[in-house]
mmCIF file of all heavy atoms in Angstrom:
data_model
loop_
_atom_site.group_PDB
_atom_site.id
_atom_site.type_symbol
_atom_site.label_atom_id
_atom_site.label_comp_id
_atom_site.label_asym_id
_atom_site.label_seq_id
_atom_site.Cartn_x
_atom_site.Cartn_y
_atom_site.Cartn_z
ATOM 1 N N LYS B 880 -19.065 -19.730 -25.793
ATOM 2 C CA LYS B 880 -19.173 -19.051 -24.504
ATOM 3 C C LYS B 880 -17.851 -19.118 -23.739
ATOM 4 O O LYS B 880 -17.456 -18.169 -23.068
ATOM 5 C CB LYS B 880 -20.315 -19.643 -23.677
ATOM 6 C CG LYS B 880 -21.690 -19.241 -24.193
ATOM 7 C CD LYS B 880 -22.799 -19.828 -23.362
ATOM 8 C CE LYS B 880 -24.155 -19.404 -23.891
ATOM 9 N NZ LYS B 880 -25.243 -20.000 -23.134
ATOM 10 N N MET B 881 -17.150 -20.252 -23.835
ATOM 11 C CA MET B 881 -15.849 -20.376 -23.174
ATOM 12 C C MET B 881 -14.830 -19.433 -23.814
ATOM 13 O O MET B 881 -14.019 -18.816 -23.114
ATOM 14 C CB MET B 881 -15.354 -21.822 -23.237
ATOM 15 C CG MET B 881 -16.103 -22.767 -22.326
ATOM 16 S SD MET B 881 -15.456 -24.445 -22.490
ATOM 17 C CE MET B 881 -16.623 -25.365 -21.507
ATOM 18 N N ASN B 901 1.007 0.683 -21.029
ATOM 19 C CA ASN B 901 0.249 0.175 -22.173
ATOM 20 C C ASN B 901 -1.124 0.828 -22.187
ATOM 21 O O ASN B 901 -1.646 1.239 -21.154
ATOM 22 C CB ASN B 901 0.165 -1.356 -22.180
ATOM 23 C CG ASN B 901 -0.708 -1.929 -21.105
ATOM 24 O OD1 ASN B 901 -1.429 -1.211 -20.420
ATOM 25 N ND2 ASN B 901 -0.658 -3.224 -20.934
ATOM 26 N N ALA B 902 -1.697 0.931 -23.369
ATOM 27 C CA ALA B 902 -2.979 1.612 -23.519
ATOM 28 C C ALA B 902 -4.125 0.818 -22.898
ATOM 29 O O ALA B 902 -5.156 1.392 -22.539
ATOM 30 C CB ALA B 902 -3.259 1.870 -24.995
ATOM 31 N N MET B 904 -4.407 -0.299 -20.041
ATOM 32 C CA MET B 904 -4.642 0.103 -18.648
ATOM 33 C C MET B 904 -5.790 1.100 -18.539
ATOM 34 O O MET B 904 -6.421 1.229 -17.503
ATOM 35 C CB MET B 904 -3.383 0.758 -18.067
ATOM 36 C CG MET B 904 -2.212 -0.164 -17.993
ATOM 37 S SD MET B 904 -0.641 0.635 -17.627
ATOM 38 C CE MET B 904 -1.070 2.099 -16.780
ATOM 39 N N PRO B 918 -16.104 6.394 -22.527
ATOM 40 C CA PRO B 918 -14.810 5.709 -22.404
ATOM 41 C C PRO B 918 -13.674 6.599 -22.916
ATOM 42 O O PRO B 918 -13.794 7.240 -23.961
ATOM 43 C CB PRO B 918 -14.971 4.474 -23.290
ATOM 44 C CG PRO B 918 -16.440 4.264 -23.387
ATOM 45 C CD PRO B 918 -17.063 5.620 -23.315
ATOM 46 N N ILE B 927 2.829 5.468 -26.864
ATOM 47 C CA ILE B 927 3.752 4.999 -25.832
ATOM 48 C C ILE B 927 5.172 5.284 -26.332
ATOM 49 O O ILE B 927 5.762 4.438 -27.000
ATOM 50 C CB ILE B 927 3.575 3.487 -25.548
ATOM 51 C CG1 ILE B 927 2.126 3.086 -25.462
ATOM 52 C CG2 ILE B 927 4.405 3.070 -24.351
ATOM 53 C CD1 ILE B 927 1.374 3.390 -24.230
ATOM 54 N N VAL B 933 3.216 7.409 -21.158
ATOM 55 C CA VAL B 933 2.039 7.343 -22.016
ATOM 56 C C VAL B 933 1.695 8.773 -22.408
ATOM 57 O O VAL B 933 1.624 9.657 -21.549
ATOM 58 C CB VAL B 933 0.829 6.715 -21.291
ATOM 59 C CG1 VAL B 933 -0.385 6.676 -22.190
ATOM 60 C CG2 VAL B 933 1.155 5.334 -20.778
ATOM 61 N N GLU B 947 -7.972 14.746 -17.610
ATOM 62 C CA GLU B 947 -6.964 14.848 -16.553
ATOM 63 C C GLU B 947 -7.577 14.534 -15.187
ATOM 64 O O GLU B 947 -7.003 13.792 -14.381
ATOM 65 C CB GLU B 947 -6.374 16.265 -16.569
ATOM 66 C CG GLU B 947 -5.028 16.364 -15.945
ATOM 67 C CD GLU B 947 -4.415 17.748 -16.133
ATOM 68 O OE1 GLU B 947 -4.945 18.578 -16.889
ATOM 69 O OE2 GLU B 947 -3.395 17.982 -15.477
ATOM 70 N N VAL B 996 -15.870 -20.545 -17.064
ATOM 71 C CA VAL B 996 -15.727 -21.682 -17.988
ATOM 72 C C VAL B 996 -16.435 -22.909 -17.415
ATOM 73 O O VAL B 996 -17.157 -23.617 -18.131
ATOM 74 C CB VAL B 996 -14.234 -21.971 -18.269
ATOM 75 C CG1 VAL B 996 -14.050 -23.311 -18.963
ATOM 76 C CG2 VAL B 996 -13.623 -20.858 -19.107
ATOM 77 N N VAL B 1036 -9.437 -23.938 -19.516
ATOM 78 C CA VAL B 1036 -8.858 -23.690 -18.186
ATOM 79 C C VAL B 1036 -7.338 -23.585 -18.300
ATOM 80 O O VAL B 1036 -6.710 -22.727 -17.671
ATOM 81 C CB VAL B 1036 -9.288 -24.791 -17.180
ATOM 82 C CG1 VAL B 1036 -8.472 -24.725 -15.907
ATOM 83 C CG2 VAL B 1036 -10.771 -24.646 -16.851
ATOM 84 N N VAL B 1039 -6.460 -20.181 -19.544
ATOM 85 C CA VAL B 1039 -6.508 -19.189 -18.458
ATOM 86 C C VAL B 1039 -5.224 -19.271 -17.628
ATOM 87 O O VAL B 1039 -4.638 -18.251 -17.271
ATOM 88 C CB VAL B 1039 -7.748 -19.407 -17.555
ATOM 89 C CG1 VAL B 1039 -7.673 -18.558 -16.298
ATOM 90 C CG2 VAL B 1039 -9.029 -19.086 -18.311
ATOM 91 N N LEU B 1050 4.459 -9.059 -14.270
ATOM 92 C CA LEU B 1050 4.372 -8.240 -13.051
ATOM 93 C C LEU B 1050 5.619 -8.332 -12.190
ATOM 94 O O LEU B 1050 6.019 -7.353 -11.574
ATOM 95 C CB LEU B 1050 3.158 -8.679 -12.225
ATOM 96 C CG LEU B 1050 1.807 -8.173 -12.690
ATOM 97 C CD1 LEU B 1050 0.700 -8.963 -12.023
ATOM 98 C CD2 LEU B 1050 1.651 -6.701 -12.398
#
Side-chain angles (χ1 to χ4, degrees):
K880 287 180 180 178
M881 287 179 187
N901 71 10
M904 297 169 25
I927 316 282
V933 179
E947 202 173 351
V996 167
V1036 168
V1039 170
L1050 281 165

